[in-house]
Amino acid sequence: MDKTFRIKRFAPEKDNASRWEDFSVELGPHERLLDGLVRIKEFTDGSLTFRRSCAHGMCGSCAMKINGRSRLACQTLADDMPELVIFEPLPAFPVIKDLVVDMEPFFEKIRSVMPYLVNDEPLPGRERPQSPEEMEKILDSIRCILCACCTSSCPVYWGDKQYLGPAALVKAARFVLDSRDRGGKARLDLVSGAHGAARCHSIYNCVEACPRDIDVTRHIAILKRQTLKRGLRGAR
Amino acid sequence: MVHRFDTLVIGSGLAGLSAAIEASLQGTVAVIAKLYPTRCHSSAAQGGIAAALGNEEPDSIEWHVYDTVKGGDYLTDQDAAGTLCEDAIKTVIRLEHLGVPFSRTPQGKIAQRRFGGHTRDFGAAPARRACYSADRTGLAIVNTLYEQCAKQPVAFFPEYHVLDLVIEDGRCLGAVALELRTGEICAFEAGATIIATGGYGRVFKTTSNAMASTGDLLGILYSKGMPLEDMEFFQFHPTGLLGLGILVTEGARGEGGVLVNGNGETFMEKYAPRIKDLAPRDMVSRAIITEIKEGRGIGGNDYVYLDLRNVPRKTLETRLPEIMTFSRIYMGVDPSEKPIPVAPTAHYAMGGIPTDRDGRVLITESGAAVEGLFAAGECACVSVHGANRLGCNSLLDTVVFGRRAGMKAAAQKDKSGPGMPPGAMERARETVSSLLNNKGGVRAGAIKKELQELMMDKCSVFRDDAGLRAAAEKIETIRQKAGNISIDDKGEKFNTELLDAIETIHLVNLGEAIVHSALQRTESRGAHCRQDYPERDDGNWLKHTFIRKKDGEIHFSFKPVSITKFKPEKRQY
Ligand SMILES: Cc1cc2nc3c(=O)[nH]c(=O)nc-3n(C[C@H](O)[C@H](O)[C@H](O)COP(=O)(O)OP(=O)(O)OC[C@H]3O[C@@H](n4cnc5c(N)ncnc54)[C@H](O)[C@@H]3O)c2cc1C
Ligand code: SF4
Ligand code: SF4
Ligand code: FES
């Protein structure tokens, strides 16, 4: 079927401001929007710039704003979209070129929440035991592919670029909820500041945007609750 | 800009991250990668990582070694397979200690499932050896190792594309890379350089590999006249989603899924009576193509079904959730209600940069190495996979040999190395500017398409002399055309079109190496199946191929296989 791809473009060396350009693309019913972008780049306009790698929703490269929503171009089928498909770079991050944005601010937030297992207890000779029920608590958060669909859709993040944002909070919750982790207090301190979990107004944009269907706000709520619990205990 | 580190790691997949963590214990480390670190293709690995933990049923290291050797159709180097399988247990335990969220048994141990070619008692029956995190084991391990790097002094240079390695007088001095964001050419000087750039499935039209899996560093070494090993052995995974090639893990058959042909019959019992659908991949892919060729594809078409309807819904949801999602999104199929249309997809490169067990890059089949240069992961050929890799042995390979290479590289005496010679960056600048100024008018996309279709048609699951000869000729014309690639984008910043063109040229060179290696090996072994030479020929061919190109001429030499314990036998399952 024929589609019109309307793409917001910006060439840093040529354009003072972004501009729109239309391409018409023929796509089979099972084809992904990413296939269309690749076809334009390979056969029509090689300068069209976007990130991609795995092409099946596992690497997080191809997040962009498509018809008003942050999503993965490789996980959206041509069939499910109207004739006119509008592509813009992910909101809330500085644009580098066309659909490519600067991801450093995003990864910096992820790095700031102690995103690793903390446990200094003596190591057993074999694996540390963890029951399936304990494992189940982190099952949702370990699926994150760091695509930034959530953070780029968060109105609080739009207004406050120091806000940790949903993805970093999910990452923090992944460790807070891991029965093997002992970093609890220090990590909760990191997410309980003025730009931490408390900033979230539970507007749910992030949940809607997540291509992995992660219940983002549930993780933020857990962080809020645990911070609060610790606060109360501390006051006694 | 010139950067200087004790150890330079190229690639941030599981091999690169494992090497970097290890090397960071002994000095400064930089990891450069053309993608953001977690975007590597290791993140797409689904089914698991093999280790004879024996958590679910009895297992032994020796059975694992035997399976690896037999799976590789006896081309596996047995000393290396021994190292792989012995290190497996402590490697997986260490990954758990670092935080990898493995699926668990009711007793809280790492859960294990069945996988193709992994057996107990030397082939008696399938064994539960694959440690997994549902069907997203790669993502779980990549995230954990990347997280660990945040604790170590590892400097990341994301979105730096390596254009050249600097090797002078038998010694590697570092690499030259292009920073995507600025377009600047930078040098990375290092005492030791580790190549961990993954596979090159993009040589073929239908593949499970990422668009970034283009084998750049193999292309660079090959064009320097250095050898590549066993390039004729490329694995086709039996179950790629029809038309897309997206992988459906063998774990799906491990959990009880079966392959069904157009007559509605299961067929693997004809080809592997004992372990049927869990036979090694080369055999299952050949079985599927045979069914299709004999008219028993679904509706006479080029695919068969993977039927998961007999697997309990709960198992599908907890152990194969990603497969459920992929099938729904891309095929519109709910596997608990309908079978999934599948066909073989180009999946894994057994061949690659020849190395020893410490990752040292070899320049001769007798074992001479380039000083200061290492390789690990899918880009390397140790060779633990021989003529056909077993499922779950690759993640294991990346972590085991990534670590070993990291350890050895960081232990180099002359840590900082002698530095780059003048002109090192100049060569890369010239490559870039000649591409940018080329007015030949050929599109890299067109070259890539022609190559990928050719490779799929003439050099995939089944091969023969006539097809390979035709392919070799055609590749030569493709190469000449590739000399006229022009680029629309003249900008310096984030010029991905330029990099696509460079990747395409590497792919053409690798296509050539694969086709010529396949042409000269006149036998069938593992994934290399010659219809005109259907039998394995140990008398003439129990040896590794080294291909190299010097002054436009292709040369072959051979390296004996290390055989310690298991004498070659007929391979039956
Ligand atoms: C879909 C799929 C599922 C799989 N499932 C399993 C499984 O369940 N079990 C198993 O054992 N194996 C599995 N495999 C195989 C296994 O995942 C891979 O062989 C392995 O992950 C390769 O890891 P690597 O570290 O060698 O390379 P990769 O993870 O591919 O990383 C390559 C790195 O090199 C970088 N790079 C490449 N070129 C350049 C350049 N020119 N300049 C700079 N950087 C560069 C990339 O950015 C990337 O960081 C699977 C493979 C696929 C495709
Ligand atoms: S729920 Fe919280 S994190 Fe999610 S979009 Fe709303 S404010 Fe942002
Ligand atoms: S939580 Fe979801 S949307 Fe956010 S980064 Fe992770 S996968 Fe992407
Ligand atoms: S290309 Fe990997 S998520 Fe889209």
Side-chain angles (χ1 to χ4, degrees):
Chain A
M1 85 206 62
D2 275 337
K3 299 264 177 206
T4 302
F5 278 21
R6 179 163 298 164
I7 303 175
K8 194 175 204 173
R9 306 207 51 184
F10 173 72
E13 285 131 330
K14 284 199 288 199
D15 300 329
N16 294 322
S18 56
R19 61 195 160 84
W20 291 98
E21 192 168 349
D22 283 6
F23 297 90
S24 85
V25 201
E26 214 190 296
L27 282 172
H30 279 314
E31 284 198 293
R32 303 154 279 206
L33 294 183
L34 181 67
D35 296 313
L37 291 174
V38 169
R39 205 158 302 151
I40 295 170
K41 184 172 183 68
E42 289 189 338
F43 297 100
T44 312
D45 180 353
S47 72
L48 179 64
T49 305
F50 50 90
R51 290 192 177 100
R52 85 287 179 275
S53 187
C54 73
H56 65 289
M58 288 306 294
C59 76
S61 297
C62 68
M64 50 186 78
K65 187 167 162 187
I66 303 172
N67 285 12
R69 228 185 92 179
S70 297
R71 43 182 142 200
L72 302 177
C74 70
Q75 220 184 64
T76 313
L77 293 195
D79 238 8
D80 300 330
M81 298 305 276
E83 196 272 326
L84 176 67
V85 192
I86 302 171
F87 295 84
E88 296 168 75
L90 271 190
F93 295 107
V95 177
I96 296 177
K97 182 172 179 175
D98 291 349
L99 301 170
V100 173
V101 297
D102 184 1
M103 296 290 286
E104 261 319 303
F106 176 78
F107 283 102
E108 191 193 298
K109 300 283 186 335
I110 304 281
R111 288 192 294 265
S112 75
V113 298
M114 291 173 59
Y116 41 79
L117 192 83
V118 177
N119 186 328
D120 295 331
E121 292 161 13
L123 290 172
R126 295 286 292 205
E127 65 264 51
R128 291 194 189 89
Q130 183 173 48
S131 70
E133 295 72 33
E134 288 168 333
M135 160 64 180
E136 178 117 17
K137 296 199 171 125
I138 55 173
L139 206 52
D140 205 18
S141 54
I142 57 170
R143 298 186 305 118
C144 174
I145 55 171
L146 300 173
C147 66
C149 282
C150 55
T151 301
S152 65
S153 318
C154 170
V156 174
Y157 184 71
W158 297 341
D160 172 12
K161 293 286 151 49
Q162 280 172 284
Y163 173 40
L164 287 173
L169 294 172
V170 166
K171 186 60 96 183
R174 177 247 172 279
F175 289 101
V176 168
L177 290 172
D178 193 322
S179 61
R180 301 167 297 172
D181 189 78
R182 302 289 175 265
K185 182 175 176 324
R187 196 177 290 103
L188 283 172
D189 276 341
L190 291 172
V191 300
S192 62
H195 303 284
R199 287 286 278 146
C200 166
H201 300 330
S202 310
I203 314 169
Y204 299 112
N205 285 26
C206 52
V207 180
E208 223 169 282
C210 178
R212 308 274 297 154
D213 293 327
I214 295 172
D215 192 345
V216 181
T217 44
R218 190 175 64 83
H219 290 92
I220 301 179
I222 288 166
L223 291 179
K224 284 185 188 170
R225 209 158 47 232
Q226 296 228 3
T227 315
L228 208 64
K229 251 205 279 186
R230 192 168 54 82
L232 288 177
R233 252 189 239 127
R236 247 184 253 154
Chain B
M1 176 104 178
V2 179
H3 303 272
R4 180 183 270 273
F5 290 88
D6 296 342
T7 305
L8 171 66
V9 179
I10 307 172
S12 69
L14 283 181
L17 293 174
S18 302
I21 292 175
E22 209 53 50
S24 73
L25 305 176
Q26 298 184 58
T28 60
V29 182
V31 176
I32 52 183
K34 63 182 179 183
L35 307 170
Y36 261 95
T38 56
R39 315 274 190 239
C40 63
H41 206 47
S42 293
S43 297
Q46 301 173 353
I49 176 166
L53 297 181
N55 279 358
E56 304 237 10
E57 55 193 24
D59 201 354
S60 88
I61 293 173
E62 211 182 338
W63 296 345
H64 189 183
V65 177
Y66 172 79
D67 289 339
T68 303
V69 169
K70 182 176 169 190
D73 218 348
Y74 295 90
L75 193 69
T76 305
D77 283 321
Q78 298 188 12
D79 53 352
T83 304
L84 179 81
C85 301
E86 270 157 41
D87 275 11
I89 296 175
K90 60 175 191 274
T91 296
V92 168
I93 296 297
R94 190 181 124 89
L95 288 174
E96 192 285 324
H97 289 166
L98 293 177
V100 173
F102 284 109
S103 296
R104 299 286 176 150
T105 67
Q107 297 76 37
K109 296 183 191 171
I110 295 172
Q112 297 191 276
R113 67 174 157 216
R114 294 182 174 148
F115 237 78
H118 289 283
T119 69
R120 68 174 154 78
D121 277 329
F122 308 103
R128 295 182 191 277
R129 188 175 292 144
C131 312
Y132 60 95
S133 180
D135 52 355
R136 51 180 98 87
T137 314
L139 183 68
I141 307 178
V142 168
N143 277 339
T144 302
L145 294 191
Y146 177 60
E147 288 153 10
Q148 286 296 315
C149 285
K151 285 208 303 197
Q152 311 287 347
V154 177
F156 279 98
F157 293 85
E159 304 194 317
Y160 279 68
H161 195 115
V162 171
L163 299 176
D164 200 9
L165 277 179
V166 182
I167 301 173
E168 301 241 312
D169 304 324
R171 162 151 204 175
C172 180
L173 307 171
V176 177
L178 183 140
E179 180 183 10
L180 260 81
R181 193 180 174 145
T182 58
E184 197 192 334
I185 306 267
C186 312
F188 288 82
E189 296 180 348
T193 302
I194 304 174
I195 307 172
T197 49
Y200 42 93
R202 287 280 155 180
V203 173
F204 296 93
K205 179 174 171 229
T206 305
T207 177
S208 63
N209 283 199
M211 298 175 80
S213 302
T214 50
D216 308 348
L217 271 287
L218 280 84
I220 291 169
L221 292 178
Y222 185 66
S223 63
K224 286 186 189 299
M226 291 179 54
L228 300 178
E229 183 175 351
D230 289 344
M231 294 299 285
E232 60 271 44
F233 298 102
F234 204 99
Q235 177 174 81
F236 279 72
H237 193 291
T239 58
L241 291 184
L242 179 63
L244 294 168
I246 296 171
L247 192 77
V248 180
T249 173
E250 204 165 68
R253 279 170 283 137
E255 299 292 356
V258 286
L259 292 163
V260 176
N261 67 17
N263 298 342
E265 309 153 344
T266 57
F267 54 84
M268 276 314 298
E269 59 272 21
K270 283 188 286 188
Y271 303 88
R274 247 177 305 162
I275 59 175
K276 305 183 184 87
D277 290 87
L278 287 176
R281 293 171 181 173
D282 57 330
M283 298 179 80
V284 184
S285 285
R286 279 195 295 275
I288 292 177
I289 302 283
T290 304
E291 292 292 308
I292 290 171
K293 282 197 170 153
E294 293 176 0
R296 293 186 299 277
I298 305 298
N301 294 311
D302 290 353
Y303 64 97
V304 295
Y305 279 143
L306 172 61
D307 194 343
L308 300 180
R309 285 176 298 184
N310 58 332
V311 181
R313 181 171 258 282
K314 176 97 176 109
T315 307
L316 292 176
E317 275 164 7
T318 56
R319 300 200 194 152
L320 299 166
E322 301 290 337
I323 297 309
M324 295 287 278
T325 310
F326 297 154
S327 307
R328 277 196 208 113
I329 295 183
Y330 298 109
M331 297 276 106
V333 166
D334 177 345
S336 63
E337 286 167 8
K338 277 202 215 152
I340 314 171
V342 295
T345 182
H347 184 59
Y348 185 85
M350 271 75 70
I353 305 167
T355 70
D356 67 11
R357 283 186 283 169
D358 289 318
R360 268 186 291 256
V361 172
L362 307 179
I363 28 175
T364 64
E365 57 292 342
S366 53
V370 185
E371 209 186 324
L373 186 61
F374 298 78
E378 190 170 338
C379 65
C381 179
V382 184
S383 145
V384 284
H385 308 302
N388 171 65
R389 168 175 77 86
L390 289 191
C392 297
N393 266 358
S394 169
L395 291 188
L396 182 60
D397 167 9
T398 61
V399 185
V400 166
F401 291 101
R403 282 188 73 191
R404 291 175 72 96
M407 224 177 282
K408 269 284 162 345
Q412 290 265 124
K413 271 194 229 67
D414 182 5
K415 283 223 163 145
S416 51
M420 291 274 176
M425 290 195 271
E426 225 25 67
R427 240 193 349 251
R429 280 200 194 99
E430 272 162 29
T431 311
V432 168
S433 72
S434 77
L435 265 166
L436 286 175
N437 295 322
N438 195 322
K439 300 204 169 52
V442 173
R443 302 199 79 94
I447 298 278
K448 211 193 294 179
K449 185 161 181 277
E450 202 176 341
L451 174 76
Q452 291 169 335
E453 284 172 1
L454 176 73
M455 293 299 289
M456 202 72 196
D457 188 32
K458 303 273 189 258
C459 197
S460 54
V461 176
F462 289 109
R463 303 160 170 184
D464 63 26
D465 184 81
L468 291 169
R469 269 182 212 287
E473 254 173 53
K474 185 100 180 273
I475 285 187
E476 198 41 46
T477 61
I478 295 177
R479 169 204 310 296
Q480 278 161 18
K481 269 195 251 173
N484 289 320
I485 291 179
S486 323
I487 288 168
D488 298 336
D489 193 344
K490 305 293 181 206
E492 287 203 333
K493 296 185 178 163
F494 228 97
N495 191 335
T496 51
E497 188 189 11
L498 171 71
L499 299 175
D500 286 353
I502 293 173
E503 289 173 347
T504 301
I505 294 166
H506 292 314
L507 286 178
V508 173
N509 285 326
L510 296 182
E512 173 185 284
I514 296 171
V515 166
H516 283 271
S517 299
L519 188 55
Q520 56 95 39
R521 184 176 284 268
T522 46
E523 66 154 353
S524 290
R525 181 186 298 273
H528 173 64
C529 182
R530 287 283 301 254
Q531 285 177 301
D532 42 356
Y533 297 91
E535 298 300 321
R536 193 175 83 195
D537 175 3
D538 288 338
N540 290 307
W541 288 107
L542 189 56
K543 56 189 182 186
H544 299 285
T545 305
F546 274 47
I547 183 172
R548 77 183 82 210
K549 196 173 185 184
K550 276 240 156 88
D551 307 320
E553 292 280 318
I554 288 172
H555 302 272
F556 291 101
S557 50
F558 301 93
K559 184 185 166 194
V561 177
S562 143
I563 294 175
T564 55
K565 192 152 190 189
F566 302 109
K567 299 283 166 277
E569 292 167 359
K570 194 164 163 50
R571 187 162 164 257
Q572 281 168 328
Y573 285 92

